[in-house]
Amino acid sequence: LFFNLPARRKFLRSDQSEMFLVAKYMTQTALAFSQVRFILVHGTRGLMDCPAVPNLADRIFQLYGKDVLDRLMEVGREDGGRRLDGYASLPLTGRNDRSVQHFFVNNRPVKDRTLLAALGQAYSGMLEKNKYPEGFLFISLPYEEVDVNVHPAKTEVRFRDSQAVFRLVLRAIG
Protein backbone atom coordinates (compact mmCIF):
# COMPACT_ATOMS: atom_id res chain seq x y z
CA LEU A 1 0.00 0.00 0.00
CA PHE A 2 2.80 2.43 0.84
CA PHE A 3 5.31 1.24 -1.81
CA ASN A 4 5.54 4.70 -3.37
CA LEU A 5 5.34 6.52 -0.02
CA PRO A 6 8.27 5.24 2.08
CA ALA A 7 7.91 8.13 4.52
CA ARG A 8 4.46 6.85 5.48
CA ARG A 9 5.56 3.21 5.65
CA LYS A 10 7.93 3.90 8.55
CA PHE A 11 4.98 5.04 10.70
CA LEU A 12 3.12 1.75 10.35
CA ARG A 13 3.02 -0.48 13.39
CA SER A 14 3.36 -4.25 13.36
CA ASP A 15 0.97 -6.25 11.18
CA GLN A 16 -0.81 -7.45 14.31
CA SER A 17 -1.31 -3.90 15.63
CA GLU A 18 -2.57 -2.64 12.29
CA MET A 19 -5.01 -5.58 12.02
CA PHE A 20 -6.28 -4.85 15.54
CA LEU A 21 -7.03 -1.26 14.50
CA VAL A 22 -8.82 -2.43 11.35
CA ALA A 23 -10.89 -4.93 13.35
CA LYS A 24 -11.78 -2.24 15.90
CA TYR A 25 -12.89 0.11 13.13
CA MET A 26 -14.94 -2.63 11.46
CA THR A 27 -16.59 -3.49 14.79
CA GLN A 28 -17.61 0.12 15.38
CA THR A 29 -18.89 0.49 11.83
CA ALA A 30 -20.84 -2.77 12.09
CA LEU A 31 -22.45 -1.51 15.31
CA ALA A 32 -23.43 1.76 13.63
CA PHE A 33 -24.98 0.05 10.59
CA SER A 34 -26.64 -3.18 11.67
CA GLN A 35 -28.67 -3.39 8.45
CA VAL A 36 -25.44 -3.88 6.42
CA ARG A 37 -23.38 -7.07 6.16
CA PHE A 38 -19.72 -6.80 7.18
CA ILE A 39 -16.99 -9.31 6.37
CA LEU A 40 -13.36 -8.99 7.45
CA VAL A 41 -10.78 -11.37 5.99
CA HIS A 42 -7.05 -11.43 6.72
CA GLY A 43 -5.15 -13.61 4.29
CA THR A 44 -7.22 -16.77 4.14
CA ARG A 45 -8.70 -16.36 7.64
CA GLY A 46 -12.16 -14.97 8.12
CA LEU A 47 -12.05 -12.69 11.16
CA MET A 48 -15.58 -11.29 11.08
CA ASP A 49 -18.75 -12.20 9.25
CA CYS A 50 -21.76 -10.22 10.40
CA PRO A 51 -24.85 -10.66 8.24
CA ALA A 52 -27.31 -7.78 8.16
CA VAL A 53 -29.67 -7.79 11.13
CA PRO A 54 -32.75 -5.70 11.93
CA ASN A 55 -31.58 -4.14 15.21
CA LEU A 56 -28.69 -3.24 17.47
CA ALA A 57 -29.34 -6.06 19.96
CA ASP A 58 -28.83 -8.66 17.23
CA ARG A 59 -25.60 -6.94 16.14
CA ILE A 60 -24.29 -6.87 19.71
CA PHE A 61 -25.07 -10.58 19.95
CA GLN A 62 -23.12 -11.23 16.71
CA LEU A 63 -20.06 -9.28 17.82
CA TYR A 64 -19.95 -9.85 21.58
CA GLY A 65 -22.09 -12.88 22.25
CA LYS A 66 -24.92 -13.81 24.57
CA ASP A 67 -22.99 -13.15 27.79
CA VAL A 68 -22.54 -9.45 27.03
CA LEU A 69 -26.07 -9.03 25.69
CA ASP A 70 -27.54 -10.65 28.83
CA ARG A 71 -25.75 -8.04 30.99
CA LEU A 72 -27.33 -5.11 29.13
CA MET A 73 -30.55 -3.16 29.42
CA GLU A 74 -32.13 -1.08 26.70
CA VAL A 75 -31.97 2.67 27.30
CA GLY A 76 -33.60 5.58 25.55
CA ARG A 77 -34.53 9.18 26.14
CA GLU A 78 -35.44 12.29 24.19
CA ASP A 79 -34.86 15.79 25.47
CA GLY A 80 -34.94 19.09 23.60
CA GLY A 81 -34.37 17.69 20.12
CA ARG A 82 -31.62 15.36 21.38
CA ARG A 83 -32.18 11.62 21.44
CA LEU A 84 -30.27 8.76 23.05
CA ASP A 85 -30.88 5.10 22.23
CA GLY A 86 -28.87 2.01 22.92
CA TYR A 87 -27.86 -0.46 25.58
CA ALA A 88 -26.00 -0.08 28.87
CA SER A 89 -24.97 -2.40 31.69
CA LEU A 90 -27.53 -3.65 34.12
CA PRO A 91 -26.87 -2.25 37.60
CA LEU A 92 -24.14 -4.08 39.50
CA THR A 93 -22.57 -5.57 36.35
CA GLY A 94 -19.33 -4.26 34.99
CA ARG A 95 -16.00 -5.22 33.54
CA ASN A 96 -12.34 -4.56 34.27
CA ASP A 97 -11.78 -2.24 31.30
CA ARG A 98 -13.58 0.23 29.05
CA SER A 99 -13.24 -1.88 25.91
CA VAL A 100 -17.02 -2.30 25.60
CA GLN A 101 -17.94 1.37 25.82
CA HIS A 102 -19.04 2.57 22.40
CA PHE A 103 -20.42 6.03 21.70
CA PHE A 104 -21.95 7.21 18.45
CA VAL A 105 -23.07 10.72 17.57
CA ASN A 106 -25.34 10.83 14.52
CA ASN A 107 -24.12 7.27 13.76
CA ARG A 108 -20.46 8.35 13.83
CA PRO A 109 -18.23 6.44 16.28
CA VAL A 110 -16.66 9.00 18.61
CA LYS A 111 -14.42 9.35 21.63
CA ASP A 112 -15.56 12.05 24.01
CA ARG A 113 -14.73 12.83 27.64
CA THR A 114 -18.20 14.19 28.33
CA LEU A 115 -19.81 10.92 27.27
CA LEU A 116 -17.29 8.83 29.23
CA ALA A 117 -17.85 10.95 32.34
CA ALA A 118 -21.65 10.79 32.01
CA LEU A 119 -21.62 7.00 31.64
CA GLY A 120 -19.28 6.67 34.62
CA GLN A 121 -21.36 8.98 36.79
CA ALA A 122 -24.57 7.13 35.87
CA TYR A 123 -23.07 4.04 37.51
CA SER A 124 -21.40 5.84 40.40
CA GLY A 125 -21.90 3.85 43.59
CA MET A 126 -23.36 0.85 41.71
CA LEU A 127 -20.12 -0.78 40.56
CA GLU A 128 -17.16 -2.05 42.50
CA LYS A 129 -13.95 -0.03 42.45
CA ASN A 130 -12.07 -0.44 39.14
CA LYS A 131 -15.15 -1.80 37.33
CA TYR A 132 -16.58 -0.04 34.29
CA PRO A 133 -20.04 -0.21 32.73
CA GLU A 134 -20.62 -1.50 29.23
CA GLY A 135 -22.40 0.77 26.83
CA PHE A 136 -23.54 1.03 23.24
CA LEU A 137 -24.97 4.54 23.18
CA PHE A 138 -26.28 6.31 20.07
CA ILE A 139 -26.92 10.03 20.38
CA SER A 140 -28.82 11.93 17.71
CA LEU A 141 -28.39 15.70 17.67
CA PRO A 142 -29.11 18.47 15.20
CA TYR A 143 -25.92 18.78 13.14
CA GLU A 144 -25.35 22.39 14.21
CA GLU A 145 -25.03 21.24 17.85
CA VAL A 146 -21.95 19.11 17.27
CA ASP A 147 -18.57 19.95 15.73
CA VAL A 148 -16.90 16.91 14.19
CA ASN A 149 -13.89 18.87 12.89
CA VAL A 150 -12.01 18.76 16.18
CA HIS A 151 -9.66 15.93 15.17
CA PRO A 152 -8.29 14.97 11.74
CA ALA A 153 -9.72 11.43 12.06
CA LYS A 154 -13.13 12.89 13.02
CA THR A 155 -13.25 10.64 16.09
CA GLU A 156 -13.39 13.47 18.62
CA VAL A 157 -16.31 15.87 18.77
CA ARG A 158 -17.23 19.07 20.54
CA PHE A 159 -20.80 19.68 21.66
CA ARG A 160 -22.32 23.15 21.62
CA ASP A 161 -24.04 22.31 24.94
CA SER A 162 -22.02 19.54 26.54
CA GLN A 163 -23.96 19.78 29.82
CA ALA A 164 -27.23 19.01 28.01
CA VAL A 165 -25.63 15.94 26.40
CA PHE A 166 -24.20 14.91 29.79
CA ARG A 167 -27.68 15.17 31.39
CA LEU A 168 -29.24 13.23 28.49
CA VAL A 169 -26.91 10.27 29.09
CA LEU A 170 -27.35 10.46 32.85
CA ARG A 171 -31.16 10.55 32.67
CA ALA A 172 -31.40 7.83 30.02
CA ILE A 173 -29.48 5.39 32.17
CA GLY A 174 -30.57 6.53 35.63
Side-chain angles (χ1 to χ4, degrees), residues 17-174:
S17 291
E18 293 295 329
M19 183 48 64
F20 172 78
L21 293 173
V22 169
K24 181 178 176 183
Y25 177 80
M26 289 287 291
T27 298
Q28 291 177 325
T29 306
L31 285 166
F33 300 98
S34 63
Q35 69 281 6
V36 177
R37 181 178 189 175
F38 288 87
I39 299 172
L40 177 60
V41 177
H42 182 249
T44 58
R45 254 180 61 212
L47 301 179
M48 177 191 301
D49 186 357
C50 296
V53 291
N55 57 50
L56 178 59
D58 290 340
R59 183 65 88 194
I60 293 169
F61 177 79
Q62 286 177 335
L63 293 168
Y64 292 94
K66 184 178 181 339
D67 289 343
V68 169
L69 189 59
D70 286 346
R71 292 191 305 262
L72 299 175
M73 63 181 175
E74 191 168 7
V75 295
R77 181 158 183 112
E78 188 164 354
D79 188 13
R82 299 172 194 93
R83 175 116 191 107
L84 182 141
D85 291 295
Y87 291 86
S89 291
L90 288 166
L92 305 178
T93 64
R95 47 188 308 120
N96 297 328
D97 58 30
R98 290 188 169 106
S99 64
V100 186
Q101 290 183 348
H102 298 280
F103 302 99
F104 301 84
V105 174
N106 296 336
N107 261 19
R108 177 191 303 265
V110 299
K111 293 183 262 182
D112 182 72
R113 290 183 186 147
T114 300
L115 298 174
L116 277 171
L119 183 61
Q121 187 168 330
Y123 286 89
S124 179
M126 283 193 258
L127 298 177
E128 295 176 27
K129 186 177 179 185
N130 297 323
K131 292 284 186 180
Y132 302 95
E134 297 164 321
F136 301 87
L137 303 180
F138 288 77
I139 299 166
S140 299
L141 303 168
Y143 289 103
E144 63 272 6
E145 287 193 26
V146 61
D147 182 4
V148 297
N149 293 315
V150 175
H151 188 273
K154 311 289 190 235
T155 57
E156 295 176 21
V157 295
R158 185 175 299 125
F159 299 109
R160 179 173 285 170
D161 187 354
S162 59
Q163 287 302 313
V165 174
F166 186 93
R167 285 189 306 271
L168 178 67
V169 173
L170 210 55
R171 290 175 180 158
I173 295 170

